[in-house]
Amino acid sequence: NAQFHVSGEHLLVELEPLDSRNFLTWEIFSQIDATADRFERCPDIAAVCHHGAQVFAKLTEFDRVLVYRFQEDGSGCVMGEKRNEAFPSLMNHHFPASDIPRQARALYLRNRIRVIPDIHYEAAPIRPVEAGTTGIDLSDVQLRSISPVHLQYMSNMGVAASASISLVVDGILWGMITCHNATPRILSEDIRAACR
């Protein structure tokens, strides 16, 4: 799978293996339609969050899926959850605004999905090295490296892989769907597309 991005005068190419499952078929489109119909019938936000966690857990097959809503002060509250025995429940837990800094929130508005398949990955350099890419903006790149602080945060939680999907309402970051896995887990581009 190849993705292309323009960053200033550079063309950035991301390459990753194709998933042999070829998930994005007419079947997934019918599931998305059925999910949208179900969301419209939910009586309140709590029901939408509960159903959303179930849908994304089935779609991603992650061990724990949280639907997280931001409060007016920037803090967050878990309003929906689907999990297996790999993780404890975080339903109704509140998290401080500092868990997701302002610059990270800006990126979540710009890039609606972010995946970390394995917190123990080995960072790779941008190639070719002589391309003059020092200081290049990698904001739109899916395969960019992760802050060591965030990787340690995930490790402290027992999370080996994660995915975050932004929930944007009227151009504002309303909340997030956060997926955790106890073991490394790749989320292929077709499933990322379905998540979007």
Side-chain angles (χ1 to χ4, degrees):
N1 183 41
Q3 293 189 45
F4 301 89
H5 313 280
V6 175
S7 181
E9 60 187 39
H10 298 283
L11 176 64
L12 305 178
V13 180
E14 296 182 82
L15 301 172
E16 61 183 308
L18 283 175
D19 188 338
S20 61
R21 293 186 303 168
N22 194 19
F23 187 69
L24 195 56
T25 62
W26 288 110
E27 179 183 337
I28 187 59
F29 289 120
S30 67
Q31 289 177 18
I32 290 171
D33 284 344
T35 298
D37 290 342
R38 177 100 185 259
F39 281 154
E40 289 176 6
R41 290 194 307 264
C42 288
D44 53 32
I45 291 174
V48 170
C49 292
H50 171 76
H51 182 61
Q54 314 304 307
V55 168
F56 277 85
K58 182 177 180 184
L59 180 62
T60 65
E61 299 179 351
F62 273 71
D63 292 323
R64 178 172 62 198
V65 174
L66 307 171
V67 179
Y68 184 99
R69 182 180 184 180
F70 293 118
Q71 309 299 307
E72 287 187 25
D73 65 358
S75 65
C77 178
V78 176
M79 297 187 62
E81 178 182 59
K82 173 71 174 160
R83 66 181 181 88
N84 60 28
E85 68 285 346
F87 289 107
S89 176
L90 293 177
M91 187 65 186
N92 297 317
H93 276 53
H94 290 262
F95 297 93
S98 60
D99 272 9
I100 303 177
R102 184 178 306 270
Q103 68 271 24
R105 291 177 195 235
L107 280 175
Y108 283 123
L109 271 173
R110 185 170 172 171
N111 299 312
R112 303 290 170 94
I113 187 163
R114 182 75 170 119
V115 177
I116 304 170
D118 184 352
I119 67 167
H120 301 293
Y121 72 92
E122 183 177 332
I126 297 173
R127 289 184 252 176
V129 175
E130 63 277 1
T133 55
T134 303
I136 194 167
D137 181 1
L138 298 178
S139 298
D140 294 325
V141 174
Q142 287 287 317
L143 301 177
R144 71 184 182 276
S145 201
I146 307 299
S147 157
V149 172
H150 185 66
L151 294 175
Q152 186 59 54
Y153 178 81
M154 290 176 58
S155 178
N156 292 346
M157 292 177 58
V159 174
S162 73
S164 299
I165 301 103
S166 303
L167 298 173
V168 178
V169 177
D170 296 329
I172 296 170
L173 188 61
W174 182 92
M176 299 183 69
I177 298 169
T178 303
C179 308
H180 295 150
N181 217 63
T183 58
R185 179 157 190 73
I186 292 174
L187 203 60
S188 61
E189 173 53 28
D190 52 358
I191 297 179
R192 293 194 309 260
C195 287
R196 284 184 204 101

